[in-house]
Amino acid sequence: MTQHRRRLTAWLLAGVVLAVVLTLYQADRTAVNEHTAAPGATEPATPSGTVPPPPTASASPTTSGTPAPTASPSTSGSPPPTPACTSPGTCGFPDASTTGPRIELERHDTGNMSVKQDGTVIKGWDIRGSLDIYANDVTVIDSRITSTNWWGINLRPGYSGLKVLHTRITAVPGKGPDNGGVNYAVSNMGGSSIEVGWCDISVFGNALSMGQGDLHDNYVHDIVAFRNQGGEWQHTDAVISGGGNKGRLTIRRNTLLNSTAVDKGATAAVGLFADTGVVSSVVVDGNWLAGGAYALYGGGPGATGIQVTNNVFSTQYHPAAGAYGAATAWNAAGAGNVWKGNRMSDGRPVEPPPAS
């Protein structure tokens, strides 16, 4: 009897131990399953040939399907405003550092010198006087001219091919023949185009005077007012054309300043006038223009083929570039006339002036 009771007790203890082991095993499996399903656990691989749905973003697209707007150009499609420009040099336009001679100069007291040999090259000269050109294909480069004549350099009728490059052209105020004034830095009286580039030009009343030519990368500044022989204030312009030209006049990438007061003769930074005939075929592109009664005179009635594009009208002398406005005498109906991309130095667009 005692032996039977001991065997029963052993079986009961074995059953209790087995129950405890099974309970612990089940608890361990449950813990493992809960850890596998926890957030951040590795997701099972997507079955081949299926695409998982995209995750839901916190800032979902609009119901129309259009992506949410970003802080960029306006939805109207208009371009962003052009940044303001403070001065010619800092904004990439010519100034004293990018114009004038690049080499050392040798002084030449030529006086008012006539050039009569075709193909003459004047280089490295510091000229006290002026040049009167009676020849073809003359080049003046890396030089300086200080004139007390009517002009600094003048191309006579019947001659062509003049180039004036990397040269400083100035005058002595009060010493010129026009009642003390000096009139033209470079004058083209010939019937063909000339080139004036990378020149530093000052003092003359009408600095660049011609109906046709290629005027580029020049710095015209410090025009000096004077009363002419008639006793009137001489009209002053950085570039002036009298019309009636047969070829093209291109005015590109120049700094053209006319700081003269209006009551002392200031007319324009670029003056396209029909004084001797209709103005035609002129490009005024990518210049810095400041001063004058108006910074630009656009050719007036009958002018055709006038392209005024991408210019900066500076407020450095007047809030509107010129004393009375940025531009005038614009023939909007003229064949081939284009006004595009012009702005003030503070970034405001400049619209074409109304017909005068």
Side-chain angles (χ1 to χ4, degrees):
M1 183 69 178
T2 302
Q3 184 177 3
H4 177 73
R5 188 174 292 171
R6 287 177 179 171
R7 185 179 294 126
L8 180 59
T9 300
W11 280 108
L12 287 173
L13 289 172
V16 170
V17 171
L18 179 61
V20 170
V21 170
L22 290 173
T23 301
L24 292 173
Y25 177 74
Q26 184 63 35
D28 183 67
R29 284 180 56 86
T30 302
V32 170
N33 289 339
E34 288 175 352
H35 174 75
T36 303
T42 303
E43 297 179 1
T46 303
S48 175
T50 63
V51 179
T56 302
S58 59
S60 59
T62 60
T63 55
S64 65
T66 304
T70 59
S72 57
S74 65
T75 55
S76 65
S78 58
T82 304
C85 225
T86 56
S87 67
T90 58
C91 296
F93 292 89
D95 62 9
S97 69
T98 59
T99 57
R102 302 163 295 179
I103 60 176
E104 292 187 9
L105 307 180
E106 179 183 353
R107 180 162 173 167
H108 289 258
D109 293 315
T110 64
N112 300 326
M113 174 181 173
S114 295
V115 178
K116 298 184 177 180
Q117 178 66 47
D118 288 352
T120 297
V121 176
I122 295 174
K123 182 176 183 179
W125 286 24
D126 183 358
I127 296 173
R128 306 305 169 96
S130 64
L131 298 177
D132 207 2
I133 311 298
Y134 293 86
N136 297 310
D137 303 320
V138 172
T139 298
V140 182
I141 185 169
D142 287 314
S143 295
R144 177 168 56 215
I145 295 172
T146 305
S147 175
T148 55
N149 198 2
W150 293 92
W151 54 77
I153 302 174
N154 181 43
L155 179 66
R156 290 287 178 169
Y159 299 95
S160 63
L162 174 64
K163 294 183 178 181
V164 184
L165 309 173
H166 295 286
T167 293
R168 181 168 291 115
I169 309 170
T170 190
V172 181
K175 299 295 185 180
D178 194 1
N179 197 30
V182 285
N183 293 68
Y184 311 110
V186 181
S187 172
N188 181 10
M189 299 175 66
S192 66
S193 180
I194 69 174
E195 180 183 2
V196 183
W198 304 286
C199 290
D200 181 327
I201 299 169
S202 60
V203 179
F204 297 89
N206 288 298
L208 296 170
S209 175
M210 61 198 68
Q212 51 214 14
D214 181 10
L215 311 179
H216 64 87
D217 302 288
N218 300 293
Y219 175 44
V220 180
H221 59 102
D222 294 308
I223 290 173
V224 174
F226 64 92
R227 291 186 183 274
N228 57 30
Q229 290 180 343
E232 301 174 340
W233 286 106
Q234 175 69 23
H235 286 221
T236 60
D237 304 88
V239 175
I240 185 171
S241 175
N245 53 299
K246 303 299 181 183
R248 178 180 292 273
L249 175 61
T250 300
I251 306 166
R252 181 170 281 136
R253 298 187 306 273
N254 302 281
T255 297
L256 303 173
L257 310 180
N258 187 350
S259 58
T260 307
V262 173
D263 62 357
K264 293 185 178 180
T267 307
V270 174
L272 306 178
F273 304 111
D275 294 336
T276 57
V278 174
V279 179
S280 64
S281 192
V282 180
V283 174
V284 184
D285 177 65
N287 303 282
W288 177 281
L289 308 176
Y294 290 89
L296 171 71
Y297 282 76
T304 59
I306 314 299
Q307 301 176 33
V308 181
T309 55
N310 306 313
N311 298 285
V312 174
F313 289 81
S314 170
T315 61
Q316 65 192 95
Y317 302 132
H318 308 287
Y324 305 133
T328 190
W330 176 250
N331 181 20
N337 290 352
V338 176
W339 184 283
K340 183 179 179 181
N342 302 296
R343 64 182 178 90
M344 297 296 294
S345 54
D346 60 13
R348 291 173 293 147
V350 177
E351 300 300 329
S356 55

